[in-house]
Each structure stands twice: as C-alpha cells, then as structure tokens.
Amino acid sequence: MSTAQDPATAAPAPLDPAAAAGALALGDDALVLSHRLAEWTGHAPVLEEEVALANIALDLLGQARTLLSLVGDEDELAFLREERAFRNVQLVEQPNGDFAHTIARQLYFSVYQELLYGQLAAAGEPSPLAPLAAKAVKEVAYHRDHAEQWTLRLGDGTETSHARMRAGLDALWRFTGELFRPIGGLAVDWAGLEAAWLAAVGGVLERATLGLPEGPRGTGWSAGAGREGVHTEPFGRMLAEMQHLHRSHPGASW
Amino acid sequence: MPETITERGRGPGAEPGPRSRTGAGTAEDAPQATAAFEAKIAADERIEPRDWMPDAYRATLVRQIAQHAHSEIIGMQPEANWLTRAPSLRRKAILLAKVQDEAGHGLYLYSAAETLGTGRDELLDKLHAGRQKYSSIFNYPTLTWADVGAIGWLVDGAAIINQVPLCRCSYGPYARAMVRICKEESFHQRQGYELLHTLAHGTPGQRAMAQDAVDRWWWPSLMMFGPPDDESAHSAQSMAWKIKRHSNDELRQRFVDICVPQAEILGLTLPDPDLRWNEERGQHDFGAIDWTEFKEVLRGNGPCNEQRIGRRRQAHEDGAWVRDAAAAYAAKRARAAESAEAAA
C-alpha cells in the first residue's frame, strides 16, 4: 500500500511531543473506525457494500498505520495499550448498529476528517502531518461521498429507511461535539472547522429530507472524554477482541 | 463456414428479444447450430454470450459459474472470522484486502453467469434456498490465526490449480473472469504461505499453531478437486466441451506434487503417513481420501454448513430494507428527471 516514494511514509522526522499527541489522536480515530467497519465483512446488504466498506476500512487502517508509526511502534500502540490510553473520539468506537446507524457515523466522521485533513494539508510544511493529510484527504473525500450518497438514498428512500436514518443520526448526535475539541499540536482553526462541518452535514441532511438532529452535541461527561482516554462501555470489549491474540503471545512476531 | 450460419441465424439482431434467450437451442435449427458450435469448440475458439449453444452447455456453465461465485462470497466468512483478531496491523490490512478481493471476485463471476441469461438475485435466492452449492472447503471452521495462513497456502493453492486451466475455458466471459481472478489469487496464496512461514519459524507456540492448522486443512483441501474421476458425474461432458481441461485426479496429483516441497521449506509435515515419492511414476503416492466425510459435507452435514448459509441468509434479509430504499430513491430520481424533461 505505502511505498518508499510515498511522502506520507518517507523517513519522518521525530515529532515533538505535542505533534505526537495529535498524531496519536488522529491515528486512534482511524484505527478504531477501521475496526468497526471491518466487523461488517460478510454482513453487508449487497455485495457492492462488502467491497465499499472493506475498502474504507482499509484506507482508514492505512492512515492509522502511518500516524501511529510517527509516534512509535504501530503494533505496540495498537495491541498493548489499554482502554484508558486510547485517544480516539467516542463517535468512532460506537457499535455498528444497523446500516443506517453505520452510515450516520460515517457521514459525521468523514465530513469531519475531510475538513480536518484539508486544513492540515493546507498548512503545508510547518505541520508534520501535512504529507499524510494531503494523501488521506483524497481517500476521505471518497468516504464522504459514499456516506453522502447513502444518506440521500436512505433519507429519501422508503418510510422505513427514512425512520432508520433519522434514528441513527439522532442517536450519534451527542458524540459530535467532541470532534471539535482542540487537539494540542495540530494547527487547526477548530471554530471554523465546526462551522464548516455543521454547514456541510446540514446541507446533506436537508437534501436527504432529514435535517440536523436536535438536542445537545455533547454533555459535560462525553464532550472531550475520548481524547482524554475516557471511553464508552462497548470500547473495552472491542479492544479485548482486537488485542487478545497479540497479547497471548508476548514477544512473538507475526 | 459453420460459423457464418451461427452468425446469420442466431447472431445479434437476428432474433430480437431479451438477451437471456439469444442463442437458446431450438429443435428446428439444432443440427446446423450444433455443428457450428462443435466446430468452434474443436478449433479452440471461444463461445460468446450471443452465440448459439446447447441448452445443456448453458446449464452446466450456469451451475459451475454460480457455484464458483457463491464460493467466493461464502469463502469470505472463515477468513473474516479472524479480521477483528489479526495479531498485527500489517496482517490485518492484508486480510482485509483479501476479503475485499473475494467480494470483487464474486461480482465478476455473477456478471459472467448473467451473460448466460440468469440474474444475480435469482442465483443468490438459489444459494440461500440450498439449491445451488458452494465449495465444500468453506464448511470447515477457522479455529486459530494459523488457519488464515493454511487457507492462503492450501485452499487458495488448490483453487489456483483448479482455476488456471479455466483461463482457457471455452466460454469467453468465464475464461476472462478467471484471468483476472487468478492474478489476485496467486498474490493471496503467496501471502498465506508467507504468514505460515513466519509462524513456523516463530515461537514454539506459533509453530504448533501452524502445524495444527496444516493438519486440519490438508485433507479438506485435497477434496476441493472433487470426487475421483470414476465417480465424477459432470467430468466427461465438461471436458468434451472444453469447460474443463484436466480431470479431478490429475489436478489433485499436481497439487500434492507442488505442496510436498513447499511443506518441507515451511518445516511442517503433511498429515499423511502414506505420502511418499514414487520413482516409477515420477509423482507422489498419497493416502486414501475420506470420501464419506466429503459426501457428508456436500450433503450439508459439515461442521459449518448451517452457520455459513445462515449468516448469508441473515445478511440478505437484514439488508432488504436497504436495497428497497436504494430502489425507491432511484425511482424517485428517475421520475424527477422525467418531469424536469417534460417541463423543459
């Protein structure tokens, strides 16, 4: 997947601690969401979605590997950290639910990632994550398009699909506030990011005959918690499954 | 000359109607068309979707290609079973890419089957109803991570031996699908071998895991070549039609001869006390296959038959509302486009 010529993986200069914390947060986001999407394999509603969801999962896993490798050993970071040491937002760790729930999570997150990587890529050289962002933003634009197309189909499809899409969007809404909590070390205009995100998601949902959910976008408990290592209950179980084999054979290489 | 009869009589435009019926054999033109068909087969030319073909040739191909397509998508399950537990991110990425390829292979093959006048939905319904089969191998469970490597080495290896000759199959769309599929399969096979090699040269625990996986997958892999030649119902006709190029036993022997030195390099043993080089034949002798087990698995009584088909049915049923939504949305878009056109 990545090659020696790939600017995203070419011998990176060591990151300063603040930038490393930023890379870890974004790497964990991609790693965890990739894992959730991989859980769809063999369960998708049509074969084309088996391909699409695995494809997106693979892109995200590639991003995670690049980001985690900037911080340390990718496998040590993925398989030997405990729940409280993960820095991903709670949104990405939420269980898949039905297809609409998964698509709602994809819409919220891929729009966020596209805008965020867009800003990081535009920051250019001073940002150590700029090369990765420049590559990833192309992948993420595809993920966003996929989520957007399905949001339109489900929202403006049948009564059932409309209701399910509505339910998915509403259930995940409270996890979206956390996305815009500034991550130290990343040169991002967070307020601008949030405004752009609301406009983009709102635009898609309007076309999908849905509209933005009502209600809070994050309580005092949940907002920012994932970035500090405080997660939701399903996350520990996900990690148990993900890590058990690696942990069962200490020191082995695979 | 026989070909021009085919072209004129049954070719494009000669008989309007659904694609599914072009080239269907009818009584009155049968002798001429049959002669043309047989001449093409004899000349190693490809049969294409609009060409006339005997009904039995069409039916055999539909059965075989559908079964092949079903095997690709059922075959995602035993490997996906380990996706969420892969022990390194590199291995996880490789496995994810592989199952994605398998879904893609399923798509190619359903498309190839559709050129014969059937539909993917119809074929999936038959799979779900148990009226069409998939490869017996996917009814075995993946119990450890090493099974992912054993599947890559042995199962994909056996599939390649079976499939490479299909690249020269007489039916064009199938042959072309196989060319693409074989390229990707070879890649998977090498990755599986490398996975197993790493385990076999790793810790004692990893090594034991690798040997156990090979012990469990060896015989089921040999069964992938189908029943012995004297019991293979479709073989003679399929070979005459050049759908098949080699007999089951020939391909099985080739597989054994390839695997023995590979197992040596891995430093693993194959679980067959009768396996030995036969100087006279220039091939390996090997032990008897448990054909009772093979028949039981084909009958639906293997370790995972119910689980595999149950999962597939469940995914299909759970996804019905999604497919309905996509269809409803497409219909709304089409109506909107129509009225926009009418207004213009």
Side-chain angles (χ1 to χ4, degrees):
Chain A
M1 202 171 11
S2 10
T3 64
Q5 290 77 38
D6 189 337
T9 52
L15 297 186
D16 65 66
L24 188 64
L26 301 187
D28 283 351
D29 282 351
L31 178 70
V32 171
L33 185 57
S34 167
H35 187 97
R36 284 296 188 208
L37 290 174
E39 291 173 349
W40 266 103
T41 306
H43 296 273
V46 286
L47 268 177
E48 285 80 353
E49 282 306 298
E50 296 283 3
V51 178
L53 294 172
N55 202 316
I56 295 168
L58 196 52
D59 285 347
L60 289 167
L61 185 54
Q63 293 167 18
R65 295 182 65 193
T66 305
L67 285 160
L68 295 181
S69 297
L70 291 172
V71 181
D73 179 89
E74 60 175 26
D75 286 338
E76 273 176 35
L77 288 166
F79 296 103
L80 298 176
R81 269 183 302 158
E82 293 188 9
E83 186 176 339
R84 293 282 281 110
F86 274 82
R87 292 290 178 264
N88 56 284
V89 287
Q90 293 180 349
L91 175 67
V92 295
E93 75 203 29
Q94 294 313 304
N96 288 332
D98 68 6
F99 189 71
H101 199 86
T102 289
I103 291 299
R105 193 183 59 200
Q106 283 303 106
L107 181 72
Y108 290 157
F109 191 73
S110 60
V111 171
Y112 164 75
Q113 250 193 333
E114 189 180 17
L115 294 168
L116 177 66
Y117 282 151
Q119 281 205 25
L120 290 173
E125 269 313 304
S127 162
L129 301 186
L132 160 98
K135 174 179 183 251
V137 77
K138 292 174 205 152
E139 296 169 351
V140 172
Y142 158 75
H143 306 169
R144 193 258 309 135
D145 184 56
H146 173 263
E148 187 174 323
Q149 295 305 320
W150 272 112
T151 302
L152 294 174
R153 287 188 198 120
L154 298 180
D156 195 15
T158 64
E159 269 177 45
T160 304
S161 68
H162 182 90
R164 284 180 180 244
M165 194 64 215
R166 177 81 273 153
L169 291 162
D170 290 351
L172 293 168
W173 186 240
R174 71 191 179 92
F175 296 105
T176 59
E178 188 185 5
L179 299 172
F180 306 100
R181 187 157 176 235
I183 304 169
L186 297 189
V188 170
D189 164 16
W190 296 96
L193 186 70
E194 182 161 17
W197 182 87
L198 278 168
V201 172
V204 174
L205 294 184
E206 193 173 318
R207 283 195 290 138
T209 72
L210 286 156
L212 285 170
E214 289 162 14
R217 301 213 357 261
T219 61
W221 167 250
S222 68
R227 296 283 186 231
E228 281 155 19
V230 177
H231 295 279
T232 56
E233 285 185 348
F235 185 54
R237 195 162 285 103
M238 191 204 102
L239 282 189
E241 183 171 343
M242 184 173 105
Q243 296 182 337
H244 101 271
L245 177 60
H246 186 95
R247 285 179 179 272
S248 301
H249 296 261
S253 45
W254 300 94
Chain B
M1 187 192 62
E3 210 183 327
T4 51
I5 294 171
T6 312
E7 290 298 321
R8 204 179 301 136
R10 316 295 304 178
E15 188 181 68
R19 185 177 60 170
S20 64
R21 296 322 319 162
T22 42
T26 57
E28 81 254 26
D29 60 4
Q32 277 175 321
T34 303
F37 172 82
E38 280 171 2
K40 267 196 170 181
I41 297 281
D44 266 336
E45 283 173 38
R46 291 273 162 83
I47 308 298
E48 295 298 336
R50 287 168 179 279
D51 294 344
W52 184 91
M53 64 189 84
D55 286 338
Y57 176 84
R58 185 185 299 275
T60 293
L61 278 168
V62 167
R63 180 178 52 75
Q64 184 173 335
I65 300 173
Q67 182 170 327
H68 200 154
H70 298 333
S71 300
E72 294 284 356
I73 61 167
I74 295 280
M76 294 167 70
Q77 289 185 35
E79 292 174 303
N81 185 39
W82 281 92
L83 258 181
T84 53
R85 294 176 287 171
S88 75
L89 297 186
R90 173 172 167 264
R91 291 293 177 196
K92 187 172 180 164
I94 290 171
L95 188 57
L96 198 44
K98 182 180 179 188
V99 290
Q100 186 191 354
D101 280 349
E102 283 161 0
H105 295 173
L107 285 169
Y108 299 158
L109 287 162
Y110 285 120
S111 300
E114 286 183 336
T115 64
L116 292 159
T118 180
R120 194 211 298 185
D121 292 345
E122 190 184 332
L123 298 177
L124 281 174
D125 287 345
K126 284 182 178 159
L127 170 68
H128 298 152
R131 288 192 288 126
Q132 279 178 346
K133 294 189 191 315
Y134 54 89
S135 176
S136 61
I137 194 79
F138 301 121
N139 293 311
Y140 290 85
T142 45
L143 303 178
T144 72
W145 171 250
D147 289 28
V148 171
I151 288 180
W153 176 40
L154 297 172
V155 175
D156 293 343
I160 292 165
I161 304 270
N162 266 327
Q163 291 173 4
V164 164
L166 287 173
C167 297
R168 293 185 296 126
C169 156
S170 60
Y171 188 57
Y174 192 25
R176 290 189 288 273
M178 291 323 303
V179 171
R180 299 184 61 172
I181 289 172
C182 282
K183 281 183 197 160
E184 292 176 352
E185 291 286 5
S186 316
F187 190 56
H188 298 160
Q189 200 251 354
R190 284 201 296 277
Q191 287 172 328
Y193 187 80
E194 192 256 333
L195 190 167
L196 217 47
H197 192 272
T198 304
L199 294 180
H201 295 82
T203 65
Q206 287 177 307
R207 193 186 151 69
M209 194 193 277
Q211 183 61 60
D212 169 64
V214 169
D215 289 347
R216 282 181 290 108
W217 287 92
W218 172 249
W219 291 107
S221 301
L222 291 189
M223 295 178 197
M224 286 175 70
F225 297 93
D229 291 348
D230 48 14
E231 286 174 39
S232 179
H234 304 289
S235 273
Q237 183 59 74
S238 286
M239 285 177 78
W241 277 332
K242 295 188 182 170
I243 294 172
K244 244 177 120 147
R245 298 279 178 161
H246 310 278
S247 81
N248 294 352
D249 288 333
E250 246 177 275
L251 293 174
R252 190 172 4 248
Q253 179 70 53
R254 188 178 299 175
F255 179 67
V256 171
D257 291 336
I258 288 173
C259 285
V260 170
Q262 291 180 342
E264 273 166 28
I265 295 169
L266 287 174
L268 298 174
T269 57
L270 295 170
D272 179 358
D274 298 326
L275 184 64
R276 63 179 57 84
W277 178 251
N278 181 325
E279 195 66 53
E280 226 166 276
R281 294 201 300 127
Q283 291 176 320
H284 290 87
D285 291 336
F286 54 97
I289 290 171
D290 182 354
W291 292 114
T292 315
E293 174 179 320
F294 178 70
K295 282 173 193 157
E296 279 301 306
V297 175
L298 279 193
R299 248 198 290 274
N301 301 325
C304 298
N305 296 58
E306 268 181 52
Q307 177 190 328
R308 299 284 187 245
I309 206 71
R311 156 78 78 86
R312 187 86 262 303
R313 265 191 221 127
Q314 189 70 48
H316 194 71
E317 282 165 24
D318 289 350
W321 69 272
V322 177
R323 297 190 297 275
D324 290 347
Y329 179 77
K332 280 184 199 177
R333 295 291 98 201
R335 279 200 299 276
E338 251 172 52
S339 38
E341 209 172 289

